[in-house]
Amino acid sequence: MRLSVNRRARRVSVRIDARAGEAVVTAPSERAMPQAIDFALSRRDWIAEHLSKRPDSAPFAPGAEILLHGRPVRLIASGNAAAARLVPDHPGGPAIISGGEHEAFHRRIERLLRAEAKAALTARTQVHLDRLGLKPVRVSIGDPASRWGSCSPHNRSIRYSWRVIMAPPEVLDYLAAHEVAHLVHADHSPAYWSVVHGLVGDHRPFRKWLRDHGPTLHAAGKA
């Protein structure tokens, strides 16, 4: 269990960090921490149930299957030192073929996924910027513990989790719209969600997909 203080929080809360595999207890101040701990203890059955549902780690290894754009793709070893490459029309079905062994194989696969994510998210971000008549922003890719994206309006930058490249294209597009909309409204007010709706329509199915499948995406590539 991890304890956290967030002065912007309105109340104590408990959430599951799918990537770290632990419960995160948040309090609005240090003084409220004992209350937060008591609340977490009262929710220990709920915490245990959700932690037990955490998917097993799924390392990037030859023979494994991962998602790319929401569809299964097999990982195949090339037997040499070549970089990973996507082969959509492979005889056995879509595949990523890569050289390297063990950790080197893993790094090549992740490098390809990050590049795919950067290209797709940069493109969809620009589409939504254009629709709102906004100036370009700097797009970067990372691997945050729990957030799928973050927007910094003051320096016009958006940072995404590369793992969303494993989600269906419409979910990735929603994430881009979600972050671009923060350039208009920095909160999650009704006005903000109105902007998101104008970009992608009903966002609820996309948010639900990330809630339901997020732990699997965070487990991908873990030893």
Side-chain angles (χ1 to χ4, degrees), residues 93-107:
I96 295 176
I97 301 177
S98 176
E101 296 182 358
H102 308 300
E103 182 61 24
F105 182 88
H106 169 94
R107 287 197 304 270

Side-chain angles (χ1 to χ4, degrees), residues 116-141 148-153 155-162 164-165 169-184 195 199-200:
E116 290 280 328
K118 179 68 177 292
L121 287 162
T122 298
R124 297 314 303 172
T125 296
Q126 190 59 52
V127 167
H128 296 306
L129 289 170
D130 290 343
R131 291 189 64 184
L132 295 176
L134 301 175
K135 296 179 180 179
V137 298
R138 181 172 62 88
V139 174
S140 61
I141 301 297
W148 296 108
S150 59
C151 176
S152 301
N155 61 11
R156 301 196 60 77
S157 66
I158 296 178
R159 186 170 179 82
Y160 296 105
S161 168
W162 66 263
V164 77
I165 196 61
E170 60 270 21
V171 175
L172 180 147
D173 186 54
Y174 154 70
L175 178 61
H178 183 110
E179 299 307 332
V180 168
H182 278 309
L183 295 169
V184 181
V195 174
L199 294 172
V200 296

Side-chain angles (χ1 to χ4, degrees), residues 18-19 54-67 73 75 102-103 105-107 109-110 113 162-163 166 213-223:
R19 182 181 179 191
R54 184 188 180 210
D56 293 333
S57 298
F60 295 147
E65 187 175 85
I66 65 171
L67 291 177
V73 174
L75 304 183
H102 308 300
E103 182 61 24
F105 182 88
H106 169 94
R107 287 197 304 270
I109 298 297
E110 183 173 324
L113 294 176
W162 66 263
R163 295 175 180 275
M166 294 184 274
H213 300 276
T216 299
L217 270 56
H218 280 299
K222 305 292 181 172

